[in-house]
Amino acid sequence: MGFLSKTEVAPAAVAKGSAASTPFDQTPLSNTPATQSIASGINGHAAPVPLTAGNEPMLTFLAVLLGAIASMGGFIFGYESGQISGFLAMADFLARFGENGQFSAARQGTIVGLLCIGTLVGCLASGWICDRLGRKWTISSAAFFYIIGVVIEVSSEKQWVQFAMGRFTAGMGIGALSTSVPMYQSESVPKNIRGATVASYQLMITLGIWTAYMINWHTEAAFGNSAQWRIPNALSMLWALILGGSILFMPESPRFAYRMGRVEEARNTLAKLNGVDPYSKLIDDEVKEIDDKLKADNAQGVAPWYEIFTGPSMLYRTLLGMILQAGQQLTGANFFFYYGTTVFKSTGIENSYITSIILGSVNVGATVGGLWIVKNCGRRKALMAGAAWMFMCFMVYAFVGSFVLDANNPMATSTAGKVLIVFTCLFIVAFATTWGPLVWAVVGEMYPSRYRAPAMAVATASNWLFNFLISFFTTFITNAIHYFYGLVFGGCCLALFFIVYFFMMETKDRSLEEIDTMYTSGVNPRKSAGWKPSVLPADVKVAENKETVPARLMAHDERVFPENPDSKPAMSQNPTQAV
């Protein structure tokens, strides 16, 4: 389909040795008057008049609404995660699923951890599904699949295994959402708000946790039967219905639509999300970037899954994404959220539900501030500052808990208990403003479109793997080493500081195509904040008046794409379908 034509254009046959055609080859490269007059004469339609203004992206209602609706996937995960800590302390839940009124470490770890195993399976499968169904249809399908797991949980009577398997099933839906939501947001919203929009996924996680705490607190006090946990549990279905239904009214990711050959749809969606004319210079330039990357992708044929490790600079990026996602768990934040109600009983605070609500409120408030940091501060500086801050908090937590707090009679050392609460809150502020929201944003924009779905799936899977390991083994570890467990997380925070410093690019306010070029061009991460697209190594620049394909064509860089299309390798009859 041509940009200026409303008639279908059949895919052109690709002659042997000729270039692979992409949708952009059928369209004008810019909205110049000369190009418009030619197009008008050929297609018989009046060409659109270019805007004198509107070449800069605007904050549009559609972009905000798209980000907010998609982020409901984070709310569902947060709500499912936050409610379980309260369930474990409810009398009816203990009587039904416990052993003599209590949970063994193995049973408690299994109930909590099977959600994470399900999410691991779901996110690994979601990469393939996203590339087949599309981003928004994957989100809707995952939300409705999650409801099946909730039904299994709510209908559990006496068998704790049934409840645990319900969490496993629900986890598969959540896992698919954890990959597809940041991907959908990264590919859709304008680059000037992309970081804050993707980070809003984490904000919705915190809101979900806080909402679960509040509902648990009310139902635990109001009921003495299974309504204590069944009411908050069943409410999970409402959030999934809201997401699964409302996302269907949103546009598909423009980058996915373009790769599927739906060119006019992609151009119009980009224009609506940026608040400019579909034929403004801003949209022309962005479509040109997308098209050049697609040409480079098509030049290599269909990507097998293992190319996320063997593709140009992909081993580096795949491992970095996995480390950052695992690092989000290894900061130790979920240690407090999964076991907060239980942990703070040891400090002598009578109503541990109130403590959890306080922590949840701090988490939400700080994450709102984190969106400002994502928008206005660099990714690298924020992540390094957050890691250093959390390291300090865990040192205090570990040593005060081990050497000052009297675990047998915590009221005798009430000051130490208060110190633990304060530094736990300071830790949550650090996490919620940096590693909570920023990891989703950084990983969501790290990969080229050719590999984005499987690479994000593998990276997110590492998050869920360590989420499971922490949730399952925390009870065993705290029973053995108690507050010294904080030293483990503190050491991880210190290691993450140096990983970000030496290996992660600064990607604030850059297009996804520019970010890809930074990685494939070998930009030094420590100098990446000052990198400009015009500053490229000599072997990456366009070789003028040459017929050969530069070696870095495989680096997906539009600046090295050959000017003579006849020198490109032959491709399939329908190159826009390459995934």
Side-chain angles (χ1 to χ4, degrees):
M1 182 184 291
F3 282 146
L4 303 179
S5 174
K6 297 187 178 182
T7 60
E8 292 290 336
V9 179
V14 182
K16 184 176 181 179
S18 66
S21 172
T22 66
F24 199 79
D25 294 330
Q26 305 166 18
T27 67
L29 297 183
S30 62
N31 206 27
T32 61
T35 303
Q36 290 180 29
S37 63
I38 293 172
S40 179
I42 292 174
N43 296 327
H45 297 287
V49 179
L51 295 177
T52 55
N55 287 333
E56 294 296 327
M58 299 170 58
L59 181 61
T60 64
F61 175 74
L62 178 61
V64 174
L65 183 63
L66 181 150
I69 290 175
S71 290
M72 276 296 297
F75 184 91
I76 291 171
F77 166 54
Y79 187 84
E80 184 75 24
S81 300
Q83 66 184 1
I84 192 61
S85 63
F87 289 178
L88 294 173
M90 290 179 178
D92 186 82
F93 194 85
L94 280 166
R96 288 174 181 270
F97 306 119
E99 300 171 280
N100 300 319
Q102 62 183 2
F103 285 106
S104 65
R107 183 171 296 190
Q108 178 171 314
T110 302
I111 292 174
V112 174
L114 269 180
L115 175 77
C116 305
I117 294 297
T119 56
L120 178 64
V121 175
C123 75
L124 287 174
S126 65
W128 183 87
I129 298 172
C130 280
D131 279 343
R132 280 11 179 227
L133 296 183
R135 289 21 172 175
K136 80 169 186 176
W137 286 101
T138 300
I139 292 173
S140 180
S141 301
F144 290 125
F145 187 86
Y146 166 77
I147 294 176
I148 298 173
V150 177
V151 171
I152 297 173
E153 293 176 39
V154 174
S155 61
S156 301
E157 285 292 337
K158 297 287 186 180
Q159 297 297 322
W160 70 270
V161 174
Q162 179 181 340
F163 188 88
M165 290 309 298
R167 282 177 60 81
F168 173 81
T169 305
M172 289 193 285
I174 292 174
L177 289 173
S178 68
T179 301
S180 55
V181 167
M183 187 189 310
Y184 178 62
Q185 292 173 321
S186 294
E187 292 183 346
S188 301
V189 299
K191 63 183 179 182
N192 61 324
I193 63 167
R194 185 182 65 240
T197 301
V198 178
S200 68
Y201 180 79
Q202 178 67 24
L203 173 62
M204 294 301 284
I205 291 176
T206 65
L207 280 171
I209 292 172
W210 181 83
T211 302
Y213 286 164
M214 293 295 291
I215 295 175
N216 278 351
W217 174 50
H218 175 74
T219 58
E220 193 272 340
F223 303 100
N225 54 20
S226 64
Q228 285 182 325
W229 57 273
R230 280 199 166 110
I231 289 176
N233 203 183
L235 278 174
S236 303
M237 291 185 281
L238 175 61
W239 321 133
L241 286 170
I242 293 173
L243 172 61
S246 59
I247 196 68
L248 297 178
F249 295 95
M250 293 293 102
E252 180 56 272
S253 155
R255 284 171 170 83
F256 176 81
Y258 196 94
R259 291 177 70 83
M260 295 296 103
R262 308 198 305 261
V263 178
E264 288 290 349
E265 176 188 337
R267 178 178 278 269
N268 289 328
T269 299
L270 285 170
K272 291 176 183 177
L273 290 168
N274 284 274
V276 298
D277 187 270
Y279 293 90
S280 65
K281 185 178 184 300
L282 175 71
I283 302 303
D284 280 342
D285 290 346
E286 189 157 2
V287 170
K288 178 66 165 61
E289 277 190 329
I290 295 171
D291 185 75
D292 286 340
K293 291 295 182 182
L294 179 58
K295 286 179 178 177
D297 290 350
N298 286 344
Q300 301 175 74
V302 177
W305 68 269
Y306 56 80
E307 277 195 9
I308 64 172
F309 300 104
T310 62
S313 76
M314 283 306 299
L315 179 62
Y316 180 101
R317 281 187 271 185
T318 299
L319 291 178
L320 180 60
M322 293 173 67
I323 291 170
L324 291 176
Q325 284 282 16
Q328 190 188 58
Q329 294 299 322
L330 290 171
T331 58
N334 274 348
F335 165 71
F336 296 109
F337 294 129
Y338 279 132
Y339 294 98
T341 303
T342 304
V343 166
F344 286 99
K345 282 183 177 179
S346 65
T347 64
I349 296 178
E350 295 182 4
N351 193 330
S352 55
Y353 284 97
I354 297 296
T355 303
S356 294
I357 291 172
I358 293 172
L359 294 181
S361 300
V362 171
N363 193 23
V364 173
T367 304
V368 173
L371 298 184
W372 183 90
I373 291 177
V374 171
K375 179 68 176 67
N376 296 280
C377 303
R379 273 69 154 152
R380 283 169 50 83
K381 291 180 181 178
L383 288 176
M384 287 189 292
W389 188 345
M390 291 185 289
F391 168 77
M392 178 270 294
C393 290
F394 264 121
M395 293 302 101
V396 174
Y397 180 86
F399 288 111
V400 169
S402 298
F403 297 113
V404 181
L405 182 72
D406 185 344
N408 296 320
N409 184 19
M411 293 305 296
T413 53
S414 60
T415 300
K418 292 174 183 177
V419 168
L420 291 181
I421 296 292
V422 168
F423 274 89
T424 297
C425 290
L426 289 175
F427 169 88
I428 290 175
V429 169
F431 176 82
T433 54
T434 58
W435 279 83
L438 272 168
V439 167
W440 296 107
V442 169
V443 174
E445 61 196 14
M446 185 182 296
Y447 306 109
S449 58
R450 177 179 176 84
Y451 306 116
R452 186 170 295 127
M456 283 189 66
V458 170
T460 309
S462 70
N463 186 306
W464 295 119
L465 175 62
F466 280 88
N467 195 328
F468 165 74
L469 294 175
I470 291 170
S471 62
F472 184 83
F473 289 108
T474 287
T475 306
F476 295 98
I477 296 173
T478 52
N479 287 344
I481 62 175
H482 306 290
Y483 288 94
F484 281 126
Y485 195 22
L487 296 179
V488 176
F489 294 122
C492 292
C493 291
L494 185 62
L496 290 169
F497 175 93
F498 290 104
I499 289 171
V500 172
Y501 179 74
F502 286 109
F503 299 107
M504 200 192 89
M505 300 285 184
E506 179 56 68
T507 56
K508 177 180 175 292
D509 291 337
R510 299 193 185 277
S511 72
L512 298 181
E513 289 71 30
E514 284 180 335
I515 295 169
D516 181 37
T517 300
M518 292 173 70
Y519 279 101
T520 56
S521 300
V523 174
N524 187 332
R526 288 174 289 173
K527 300 178 181 179
S528 57
W531 178 84
K532 292 180 173 56
S534 58
V535 182
L536 290 169
D539 63 333
V540 186
K541 295 182 178 179
V542 176
E544 297 184 0
N545 302 319
K546 291 190 177 181
E547 300 277 328
T548 57
V549 180
R552 283 197 179 247
L553 172 63
M554 296 300 100
H556 315 299
D557 192 343
E558 67 270 19
R559 295 172 183 79
V560 301
F561 205 85
E563 294 183 26
N564 180 4
D566 291 336
S567 64
K568 291 181 284 187
M571 288 297 299
S572 64
Q573 293 290 322
N574 194 7
T576 61
Q577 300 295 326
V579 177

